[in-house]
Amino acid sequence: MKFFIDTANIDEIRDLATTGMLDGVTTNPSLVAQSGRDFIEVLKDICATIDGPVSAEVTALDAEGMIKEGKTLAKLADNIVVKAPLTWDGLRACRALSSEGIKVNVTLCFSANQALLAAKAGAAYISPFVGRLDDIHIDGMELIEEIRAIYDNYPDLETEILVASIRNPNHVKDAAIIGADVVTIPPSVLRQLAGHPLTDKGLAAFMADWEKTGQKITG
Ligand code: G3P
């Protein structure tokens, strides 16, 4: 399973890249606004830091505008993936950009039929938002199960399921159990993944016992 980081904060990306766990980055207009930086500048920084796919979202609402913006974004770096919303215009733009070899991540997916449409439009990734479904008391992970089942029925559909709107470590675990291809994780949740109180307790006990031996490991 691939781990993408869901942020436009270059300091967080640089820091977490040192773990060797990052396979890509996703951004959206809200995350760019939070960064307080120029969109193009921040994308260039991210693409220079991470070799894997970097999703950059178009802001036009009509297909023609999305295609134009998508082409501009795709020219910034080889690893840019153009992100387009799951509307009919977004699907038209996805088809047009994909047919020119530009990878598209179709975002704001909340139903299995939307995911099917994105795959038929040639999307490289579909981004179902599990946390936002949970927020309205609909089980987000059920949607991931449905999309996995549908895509597995049709092996010619090559779209990867990129689970987005991840809010906690259980979302990551559940997405992995279902067999999602990618999770995009906020930095705070990614940091939580390695933590366990029994790991901390066990390590403290090992160190206390080791100190009693008076030994050191030397080269
Ligand atoms: O990048 C899209 C998605 O991950 C947003 O998450 O927490 O704003 O619903 P959230």
Side-chain angles (χ1 to χ4, degrees):
M1 175 187 250
K2 284 172 269 191
F3 277 13
F4 291 0
I5 187 170
D6 197 26
T7 184
N9 182 320
I10 190 67
D11 295 329
E12 293 275 35
I13 294 167
R14 284 189 181 130
D15 181 43
L16 287 164
T18 64
T19 64
M21 295 287 171
L22 295 194
D23 301 302
V25 177
T26 52
T27 66
N28 63 39
S30 303
L31 293 171
V32 172
Q34 273 171 34
S35 79
R37 295 190 55 200
D38 176 80
F39 184 32
I40 302 301
E41 290 307 312
V42 82
L43 283 176
K44 284 182 182 167
D45 279 354
I46 295 170
C47 290
T49 306
I50 296 286
D51 291 333
V54 175
S55 286
E57 192 157 339
V58 296
T59 54
L61 295 177
D62 62 300
E64 200 184 328
M66 288 183 199
I67 294 165
K68 199 169 168 224
E69 288 183 3
K71 286 181 180 174
T72 301
L73 293 171
K75 279 187 198 134
L76 292 175
D78 289 343
N79 52 337
I80 287 279
V81 172
V82 174
K83 213 171 174 187
L86 212 154
T87 59
W88 283 113
D89 281 282
L91 292 168
R92 285 186 189 98
C94 176
R95 166 58 64 207
L97 292 166
S98 300
S99 64
E100 290 193 28
I102 295 171
K103 287 190 172 175
V104 179
N105 172 0
V106 177
T107 189
L108 289 166
C109 170
F110 295 95
S111 80
N113 279 332
Q114 287 182 320
L116 182 56
L117 289 171
K120 283 181 69 66
Y125 302 97
I126 182 67
S127 289
F129 279 30
V130 292
R132 292 191 195 183
L133 282 170
D134 290 353
D135 288 346
I136 58 165
H137 310 292
I138 295 173
D139 186 347
M141 281 300 155
E142 274 183 22
L143 174 59
I144 305 306
E145 283 174 347
E146 289 174 355
I147 300 171
R148 182 73 282 159
I150 290 169
Y151 284 8
D152 286 352
N153 281 343
Y154 302 99
D156 53 320
L157 299 178
E158 291 176 349
T159 307
E160 293 191 44
I161 304 173
L162 192 170
V163 181
S165 190
I166 293 255
R167 302 282 173 75
N168 58 61
N170 280 339
H171 279 149
V172 177
K173 178 190 72 176
D174 292 342
I177 289 170
I178 293 166
D181 303 285
V182 191
V183 278
T184 188
I185 315 174
S188 59
V189 176
L190 185 52
R191 289 200 170 85
Q192 287 177 57
L193 294 184
H196 197 287
L198 290 180
T199 304
D200 298 340
K201 191 177 168 194
L203 184 59
F206 285 158
M207 290 307 98
D209 289 341
W210 179 249
E211 197 158 333
K212 286 180 210 154
T213 71
Q215 299 180 57
K216 281 201 179 358
I217 301 171
T218 51

